[in-house]
């Protein structure tokens, strides 16, 4: 066994790391991509970190909706919130099994557990009435028109591809926080808030928790989880090696280390755009300010280097 971990890191792993964008990945492909994605996580485990992995599910939950639609005459369709929990289960199974095998090959006896996680949202969140989160793969124009006629929103993404959009409310708390905290304290590596977690709200009339048909952004969920766990490190893994200024221009340059104050100023000036990178930077700022920890944004293969300050973008309070 390694020395008992004393610091906690939350790692936000994109769904595209398991099913690359634009690819129609089979389950066998996704297992292969999962195994290939775990190197940085295994190394952090060997370095003695308590670890909580949050994964996305954008491609996978879109596929589940498609299966729902194709099979609706033979089997009753499942609501979106249930599909989020379902994908958290089978993606968690892939990550858990692959990570367990990788740890044993590396000589580590640490255990891995998946927690199907619910996240609290506000039922009055305006985002529930304004679908903006892209899920699934590109849809042909004719199919997009059919979906729109059925009242299912479709929009072009940042690359001009037509894709489904669903509501994405802001998470406020992690329902299973104490379960996750207990597992981490026992040196168990936890896979939690998969797909951003299944969104729920407290129904005063029913006096209990109820589900919401929406998909929570996994980076938002990871930030709330890292904040409430008191983690020292938040790692947001994406498809570029760092945050860039003047992205796509001859003058583009990577930001290596930056304060939350400076990052916020650049964000106000529109330096990161309104796409996913701007959102990731805002989450990193929020985490750094609320915890005093550091947030790292980088691509998967540079994860360990970024933790050591040798790659990626680090944002501190």
């Amino acid at each position: 066994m390694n020395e008992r971990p004393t610091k906690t890191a939350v790692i936000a792993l994109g769904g595209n790391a398991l099913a690359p964008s634009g690819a129609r990945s089979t389950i066998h492909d996704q297992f292969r991509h999962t195994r290939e994605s775990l190197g940085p996580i295994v190394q952090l485990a060997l370095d003695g970190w308590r670890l909580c992995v949050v994964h996305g599910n954008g491609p996978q939950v879109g596929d589940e909706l498609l299966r729902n639609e194709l099979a609706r005459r033979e089997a009753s369709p499942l609501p979106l919130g249930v599909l989020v929990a379902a994908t958290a289960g089978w993606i968690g199974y892939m990550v858990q099994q692959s990570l367990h095998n990788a740890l044993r090959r590396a000589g580590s006896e640490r255990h891995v557990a998946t927690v199907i996680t619910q996240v609290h949202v506000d039922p009055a969140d305006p985002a529930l009435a304004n679908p903006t989160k892209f899920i699934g793969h590109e849809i042909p124009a004719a199919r997009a028109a059919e979906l729109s006629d059925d009242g299912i929103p479709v929009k072009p993404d940042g690359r001009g591809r037509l894709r489904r959009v669903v509501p994405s409310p802001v998470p406020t708390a992690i329902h299973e926080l104490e379960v996750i905290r207990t597992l981490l304290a026992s040196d168990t590596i936890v896979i939690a808030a998969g797909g951003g977690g299944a969104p729920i709200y407290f129904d005063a009339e029913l006096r209990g928790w109820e589900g919401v048909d929406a998909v929570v952004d996994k980076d938002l969920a990871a930030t709330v989880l890292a904040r409430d766990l008191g983690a020292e490190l938040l790692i947001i893994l994406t498809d570029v090696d760092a945050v860039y200024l003047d992205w796509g221009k001859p003058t583009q340059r990577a930001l290596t280390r930056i304060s939350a104050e400076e990052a916020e100023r650049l964000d106000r000036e529109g330096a990161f755009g309104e796409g996913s990178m701007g959102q990731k930077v805002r989450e990193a700022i929020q985490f750094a300010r609320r915890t005093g920890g550091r947030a790292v944004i980088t691509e998967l293969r540079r994860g360990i280097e970024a933790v050591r300050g040798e790659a990626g973008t680090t944002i501190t309070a």
Side-chain angles (χ1 to χ4, degrees):
M1 281 287 290
N2 291 291
E3 181 181 341
R4 184 175 179 84
T6 57
K7 292 185 177 181
T8 301
V10 173
I11 304 168
L13 180 66
N16 285 330
L18 314 180
S21 179
R24 294 284 180 174
S25 300
T26 67
I27 191 64
H28 303 290
D29 294 328
Q30 293 190 56
F31 263 97
R32 176 168 53 83
H33 292 309
T34 299
R35 289 191 293 267
E36 293 169 351
S37 72
L38 296 179
I41 299 172
V42 171
Q43 188 57 56
L44 283 170
L46 295 176
D47 287 348
W49 287 81
R50 289 191 180 112
L51 296 176
C52 190
V53 180
V54 178
H55 62 76
N57 72 343
Q60 294 86 358
V61 78
D63 284 346
E64 291 298 331
L65 276 176
L66 178 59
R67 293 185 182 101
N68 253 4
E69 292 160 0
L70 293 175
R72 65 185 181 275
R73 292 183 177 86
E74 302 294 330
S76 177
L78 297 173
L80 183 56
V82 172
L83 294 179
V84 171
T87 55
W90 67 260
I91 296 172
Y93 158 68
M94 284 199 307
V95 177
Q96 179 175 316
Q97 182 189 97
S98 301
L99 187 52
H100 175 95
N101 290 340
L103 287 167
R104 293 303 175 271
R105 284 193 295 270
S108 172
E109 293 297 320
R110 291 179 68 180
H111 296 290
V112 188
T114 299
V115 176
I116 303 302
T117 310
Q118 303 168 97
V119 296
H120 300 177
V121 300
D122 183 350
D125 189 328
L128 289 170
N130 180 32
T132 58
K133 182 169 179 58
F134 292 99
I135 63 169
H137 302 280
E138 181 177 6
I139 299 172
R143 177 61 179 152
E146 292 174 0
L147 290 173
S148 296
D149 289 343
D150 289 340
I152 297 172
V154 176
K155 295 180 181 179
D157 66 12
R159 299 178 182 177
R161 302 171 301 182
L162 292 171
R163 295 170 63 198
R164 293 182 70 139
V165 286
V166 296
S168 187
V170 175
T172 60
I174 306 296
H175 195 69
E176 285 75 22
L177 180 68
E178 292 310 314
V179 175
I180 296 166
R181 197 192 302 278
T182 299
L183 286 168
L184 288 173
S186 71
D187 293 353
T188 299
I189 297 169
V190 183
I191 302 157
I200 59 171
Y201 73 98
F202 189 80
D203 189 307
E205 186 173 331
L206 296 175
R207 291 186 292 180
W209 295 94
E210 291 290 315
V212 179
D213 276 343
V215 176
V216 172
D217 184 270
K218 68 103 177 35
D219 292 332
L220 286 173
T223 302
V224 172
L225 179 57
R227 177 198 72 194
D228 293 350
L229 285 173
E232 287 82 6
L233 178 64
L234 171 66
I235 307 172
I236 300 176
L237 297 172
T238 182
D239 54 1
V240 293
D241 63 333
V243 179
Y244 282 80
L245 294 181
D246 297 337
W247 174 253
K249 300 177 182 178
T251 55
Q252 78 174 31
R253 62 184 179 89
L255 296 171
T256 55
R257 191 174 183 91
I258 188 172
S259 70
E261 183 179 6
E262 179 68 5
E264 188 173 57
R265 180 186 66 79
L266 290 168
D267 186 39
R268 285 197 305 268
E269 295 171 358
F272 310 122
E274 286 304 316
S276 63
M277 186 56 76
Q279 181 63 49
K280 286 174 171 55
V281 170
R282 287 188 280 275
E283 293 311 309
I285 292 169
Q286 181 188 121
F287 168 76
R289 281 193 166 149
R290 291 193 178 187
T291 66
R294 61 188 174 111
V296 175
I297 302 173
T298 191
E299 64 181 339
L300 184 63
R301 67 183 181 87
R302 306 295 300 276
I304 287 297
E305 296 170 81
V307 170
R308 296 170 179 165
E310 300 165 1
T313 299
T314 296
I315 297 176
T316 61

